[in-house]
């Protein structure tokens, strides 16, 4: 067990105050006036040439964000609790090492639940740290394998969570906790669909997993890009084919999001041919069983993250990547390019404000 710095403790306690892990997308049954965007204003909050962030999470009750970096750090962006409508920044807590004894940590997955934070690294060995509100950290899972590479993590509730990674045997790597993150177990391949040749996943934005209630969708990519689906929080699994571009190690789905249990969207492409926009955007209306290509040959090319705009009835989407920011008002059928500014991942604060992170900066995005 190790102890984190006082700066970390202050930040982490702020993030954990009365945490609520309920999704923004179904936050309230009250219908709100639909907003449509024509532009985006970008305010840089942290700028550092050494910063590389692909794990960014929103903490609902105190309207704050936490992030992990590719160099083993945790940081926080604390917004004013009493100024939610204006979303003014109260404090930016700069990164501090999660484990100062390990200089090679590269974090791509972040979750916070039940007064604990969870930070999952990529590469061999795969290391999953649990961090409590007093700043104590424990290593709760370690996997030593030359092919270990975990891509994304989510929790269904305050006791049950899941992380997925590339295959080490003949199936995707899936680890699950049922005790609030104290212990994690890897599912045997006998309980999972067999991986196709060259099938893996991308640790591009911590959005390979989407959950709604007990239902879970996992996006794979590479030479084969499919949806792994569980209706019962990882107890049983099905697999569904998708029409997204695939066949190379760099192709397939990089990100997916579900607005509700029926409506979902996935985006990706090929980051080595980032302008290509054929067969890189797909939509489902039946819970992921079938998918259709949309905006084929138009709209954005490769993007690393897609998110539904809250309170948009599964119609509005924002997609981001190192080629810019794009917006759809019709479930991905058509797109408007809003900005050339580059980011890797984003999360919404409300239906017009998001926070985005990438290479060298973290920014507040205000959609107008």
């Amino acid at each position: 067990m190790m102890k984190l710095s006082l700066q970390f403790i202050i930040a982490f306690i702020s993030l954990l105050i009365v945490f609520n892990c309920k999704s923004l997308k179904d936050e309230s049954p009250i219908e709100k006036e639909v907003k449509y965007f024509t532009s985006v204003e970008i305010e840089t909050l942290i700028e550092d040439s050494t910063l590389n962030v692909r794990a960014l999470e929103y903490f609902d009750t105190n309207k704050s964000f936490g992030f992990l970096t590719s160099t083993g750090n945790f940081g926080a962006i604390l917004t004013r609790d009493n100024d939610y409508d204006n979303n003014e920044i109260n404090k930016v807590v700069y990164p501090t090492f999660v484990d100062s004894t390990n200089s090679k940590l590269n974090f791509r997955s972040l979750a916070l639940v039940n007064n604990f934070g969870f930070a999952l690294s990529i590469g061999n060995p795969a290391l999953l740290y649990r961090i409590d509100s007093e700043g104590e950290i424990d290593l709760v899972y370690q996997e030593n394998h030359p092919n270990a590479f975990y891509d994304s993590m989510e929790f269904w509730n305050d006791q049950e969570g899941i992380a997925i990674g590339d295959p080490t045997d003949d199936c995707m790597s899936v680890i699950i906790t049922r005790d609030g993150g104290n212990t994690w177990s890897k599912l045997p391949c006998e309980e999972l669909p067999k991986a196709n040749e060259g099938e893996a996943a991308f640790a591009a934005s911590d959005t390979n997993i989407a959950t709604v209630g007990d239902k879970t969708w996992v996006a794979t990519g590479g030479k084969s890009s499919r949806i792994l689906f569980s209706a019962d929080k990882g107890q049983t699994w099905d697999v569904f084919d998708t029409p997204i571009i695939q066949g190379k190690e760099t192709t397939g789905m990089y990100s997916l999001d579900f607005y509700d249990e029926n409506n979902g969207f996935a985006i990706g492409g090929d980051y080595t041919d980032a302008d290509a926009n054929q067969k890189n955007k797909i939509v489902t209306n039946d819970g992921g069983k079938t998918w259709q290509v949309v905006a084929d040959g138009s709209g954005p090319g490769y993007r690393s993250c897609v998110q539904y705009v809250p309170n948009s009835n599964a119609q509005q989407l924002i997609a981001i990547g190192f080629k810019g920011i794009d917006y759809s008002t019709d479930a991905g059928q058509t797109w408007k390019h809003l900005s050339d500014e580059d980011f890797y991942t984003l999360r919404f604060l409300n239906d017009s404000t998001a926070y985005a992170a990438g290479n060298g900066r973290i920014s507040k995005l205000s959609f107008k």
Side-chain angles (χ1 to χ4, degrees), residues 289-354:
K289 297 180 179 65
T290 62
W291 296 78
Q292 295 78 43
V293 173
V294 292
D296 193 17
S298 63
Y302 164 78
R303 295 293 183 268
S304 56
C305 183
V306 67
Q307 295 283 279
Y308 280 102
V309 178
N311 305 312
S312 67
N313 196 31
Q315 294 299 299
Q316 298 183 55
L317 294 152
I318 292 290
I320 67 169
F322 63 76
K323 285 282 187 172
I325 304 170
D326 297 87
Y327 170 58
S328 175
T329 62
D330 53 11
Q333 299 293 329
T334 61
W335 293 82
K336 176 180 176 60
H337 187 66
L338 296 181
S339 173
D340 291 332
E341 298 291 334
D342 60 313
F343 296 98
Y344 295 147
T345 190
L346 96 162
R347 300 293 186 276
F348 274 94
L349 176 67
N350 55 36
D351 55 13
S352 60
T353 305

Side-chain angles (χ1 to χ4, degrees), residues 220-272:
T220 70
K223 293 183 179 180
S224 179
S225 188
R226 303 184 295 172
I227 293 290
L228 307 186
F229 172 72
S230 174
D232 50 15
K233 294 181 292 188
Q235 301 283 355
T236 60
W237 293 87
D238 292 311
V239 62
F240 304 126
D241 292 328
T242 77
I244 203 164
I245 186 171
Q246 50 199 286
K248 296 170 56 181
E249 291 182 353
T250 54
T251 57
M253 289 178 285
Y254 280 72
S255 174
L256 86 161
D257 193 22
F258 269 74
Y259 188 87
D260 53 34
E261 64 180 18
N262 294 314
N263 295 285
F265 196 90
I267 200 165
D270 183 349
Y271 79 89
T272 67

